[in-house]
Amino acid sequence: MASVIESAWTYLITNFNDFQLACLGSFFLHESVFFLSGLPFILLERAGWLSKYKIQTKNNTPAAQEKCITRLLLYHFCVNLPLMMASYPVFKLMGMRNTLPLPSWKVISMQVLFYFILEDFVFYWGHRILHTKWLYKHVHSVHHEYATPFGLTSEYAHPAEILFLGFATIVGPIITGPHLITLWLWMILRVLETVEAHCGYHFPWSLSNFLPLYGGADFHDYHHRLLYTKSGNYSSTFVYMDWLFGTDKGYRRLKVLKSDACEAEGKEM
């Protein structure tokens, strides 16, 4: 497996320069992973498939879904791509490389774990700030236009928010100056996580059922359903920040009430 990856990487660095791989390659990879993982949830919602796993009964209209996709393409090409290009000198300055040999899986795993932990911390505080009255009204309310989120709404946001919270995603790599393959893996995992958190479905195979402290769709869907002053659940991937600062109390209280109701129904039967 390692030899296959190295052969593929050799082809990339032989045929494309550093800038093309770091900027255009990263952008193409992001778009591919984002839309391929997010579009199926639009299909599920429109067709009504697996509806028993849908968290909310309300569905988005086709017009609302199409508006989301149109805005996303505009933001991605006019904000994300220029941002990637502008960030290239910073990453090079901090030591990012794409040469062989590739880093070991141990190094990659430790760096990605560090990125998740740091991103959770930075994102939590940035997200809480966005829920202050002025910033919510003028910036973050764009993301909350979809009270019933679906996968692609994960990146539907005001351009200022894209820049603001995007810092939480890139601060870890900026600190460590990783190999490009590590950066790509981090980006893939982060995109898949945020799409899943906004997908609107809680499946028996959802990661939150197996991985402690992982938020997932049920956790974040609660955040979208409530008024901005009382939402809570500000965490990104793992929920330890909400637990530490007590901003998930409403969600946990609701989970207890639902559990008690299910137990009562079971006794009546």
Side-chain angles (χ1 to χ4, degrees):
M1 182 63 178
S3 60
V4 173
I5 296 174
E6 285 198 0
S7 298
W9 198 259
T10 301
Y11 173 83
L12 288 175
I13 61 177
T14 302
N15 291 277
F16 302 96
N17 62 40
D18 289 1
F19 180 81
Q20 289 172 331
L21 287 174
C23 299
L24 302 181
S26 297
F27 181 76
F28 177 76
L29 182 62
H30 172 275
E31 297 303 287
S32 300
V33 174
F34 177 70
F35 283 103
L36 287 175
S37 63
L39 285 172
F41 292 107
I42 289 181
L43 178 62
L44 287 180
E45 190 173 62
R46 290 190 180 186
W49 297 334
L50 301 177
S51 57
K52 67 178 180 178
Y53 300 121
K54 198 168 186 305
I55 298 169
Q56 297 187 46
T57 56
K58 179 184 176 183
N59 288 329
N60 293 282
T61 65
Q65 293 170 338
E66 290 160 12
K67 173 190 173 185
C68 177
I69 294 172
T70 303
R71 291 277 186 91
L72 282 170
L73 290 172
L74 177 65
Y75 292 157
H76 284 185
F77 279 94
C78 296
V79 179
N80 291 15
L81 180 57
L83 182 62
M84 286 182 178
M85 296 172 70
S87 301
Y88 175 73
V90 178
F91 280 108
K92 291 296 290 184
L93 184 66
M94 298 306 293
M96 186 186 73
R97 64 181 184 87
N98 60 15
T99 55
L100 292 172
L102 297 176
S104 68
W105 284 110
K106 181 179 179 180
V107 170
I108 292 174
S109 300
M110 292 302 294
Q111 287 186 335
V112 169
L113 177 61
F114 170 68
Y115 300 159
F116 269 116
I117 294 171
L118 183 61
E119 196 270 346
D120 275 324
F121 179 84
V122 177
F123 183 96
Y124 175 84
W125 290 112
H127 196 185
R128 282 193 70 171
I129 291 170
L130 285 173
H131 276 264
T132 55
K133 190 173 182 179
W134 191 91
L135 283 174
Y136 183 89
K137 180 180 179 182
H138 296 282
V139 178
H140 195 48
S141 60
V142 173
H143 181 65
H144 278 268
E145 286 179 18
Y146 292 90
T148 306
F150 54 95
L152 295 182
T153 60
S154 57
E155 296 192 4
Y156 181 88
H158 190 286
E161 179 175 342
I162 295 172
L163 296 173
F164 186 56
L165 289 184
F167 174 75
T169 301
I170 67 171
V171 64
I174 287 175
I175 291 173
T176 63
H179 193 282
L180 183 59
I181 199 169
T182 306
L183 185 65
W184 281 2
L185 177 61
W186 162 238
M187 181 174 63
I188 289 169
L189 293 175
R190 184 70 184 91
V191 168
L192 292 176
E193 181 279 323
T194 192
V195 167
E196 193 268 341
H198 289 82
C199 74
Y201 291 82
H202 183 70
F203 302 110
W205 55 86
S206 292
L207 199 56
S208 57
N209 293 328
F210 308 100
L211 187 61
L213 297 179
Y214 182 84
D218 189 62
F219 183 86
H220 194 68
D221 200 277
Y222 175 87
H223 175 81
H224 274 263
R225 294 198 305 268
L226 298 190
L227 294 172
Y228 77 93
T229 53
K230 301 177 181 178
S231 55
N233 289 23
Y234 302 113
S235 294
S236 175
T237 304
F238 297 99
V239 302
Y240 68 93
M241 291 295 289
D242 277 297
W243 179 77
L244 284 173
F245 292 95
T247 46
D248 62 349
K249 289 181 179 178
Y251 170 74
R252 297 196 179 280
R253 194 177 301 118
L254 180 63
K255 294 284 285 184
V256 170
L257 290 173
K258 284 185 176 180
S259 178
D260 291 345
C262 288
E263 288 182 10
E265 287 180 7
K267 289 178 181 179
E268 288 178 3
M269 293 176 63

